[in-house]
Amino acid sequence: MKKKFALSGFVVLAATLMYFGQALETVSAQKTQGKTRPAATKYLMRGIVQPNCAGVGKLLKAGPANEKEWDTGACHASCLSEMSFALMDDGRCPDGVWASAAKTTLRECSDALLAAAKKQDLDAANAAFKELTTSCAACHKAHKS
Ligand code: HEC
């Protein structure tokens, strides 16, 4: 009788551990890779987010000199805006910190940056970009190992 109890206790424990193990695995899989699409988060970061963010930084430091440079700024802002959607897609988002960084900060600031670039408003562009970069720090602090 005692043996039977111990055995069923072990089975319950094993099942519980397996359940939580799987749940943890799902969460980390969501951060580094979506559920169905092949692009890893680090490549979206390295290939799209980082270069477009650096591009804006460089442009604003010197101040866009002409129509073409403002248009490049609009291009960077548009790519960052799309990334705010991609980061929320395909089961990638694990929690509220991620959602707030991507869906609120990154999206609203890149949209404000795009509007500023279209109006060629340097002050508004600088303000939007300054806040945009807080999204990188917020999400990385919680989710980048
Ligand atoms: C919503 C979350 C989130 C936001 C917002 C975010 N990142 Fe990331 N970023 C990550 C995660 C998660 C990783 C780690 C991915 C991995 O290693 O699998 C990462 C990794 C990176 C990397 C390393 C890529 C590599 O080659 O390994 C760079 C560079 C980067 N992010 C730049 C940025 C910049 C710049 C911003 C802001 C404009 C930003 N990220 C905003 C989640 C985010």
Side-chain angles (χ1 to χ4, degrees):
M1 189 67 180
K2 244 186 183 169
K3 219 174 177 182
K4 221 176 177 183
F5 255 137
L7 191 67
S8 60
F10 176 75
V11 169
V12 170
L13 183 70
T16 311
L17 285 176
M18 269 168 69
Y19 174 79
F20 282 112
Q22 226 164 35
L24 277 175
E25 204 176 299
T26 311
V27 167
S28 68
Q30 283 175 338
K31 288 197 243 177
T32 56
Q33 176 104 48
K35 282 200 173 101
T36 60
R37 303 207 296 254
T41 303
K42 67 177 177 183
Y43 296 144
L44 298 180
M45 292 289 151
R46 199 189 304 172
I48 306 176
V49 177
Q50 171 68 27
N52 283 291
C53 184
V56 176
K58 205 170 148 203
L59 264 181
L60 293 182
K61 204 166 175 196
N66 51 42
E67 195 82 24
K68 196 168 172 229
E69 288 192 3
W70 277 112
D71 189 55
T72 300
C75 171
H76 291 315
S78 302
C79 294
L80 290 169
S81 175
E82 274 306 309
M83 289 311 297
S84 78
F85 289 90
L87 287 168
M88 292 306 297
D89 275 357
D90 205 22
R92 203 175 233 115
C93 170
D95 65 10
V97 175
W98 183 290
S100 158
K103 201 166 66 175
T104 308
T105 315
L106 184 58
R107 189 170 310 166
E108 283 177 5
C109 294
S110 46
D111 293 357
L113 184 63
L114 179 57
K118 282 183 177 160
K119 282 191 288 188
Q120 306 195 357
D121 181 341
L122 186 59
D123 286 344
N126 272 317
F129 183 60
K130 196 173 167 207
E131 206 184 325
L132 187 152
T133 56
T134 66
S135 75
C136 326
C139 193
H140 290 172
K141 195 169 167 230
H143 295 298
K144 186 173 171 289
S145 46

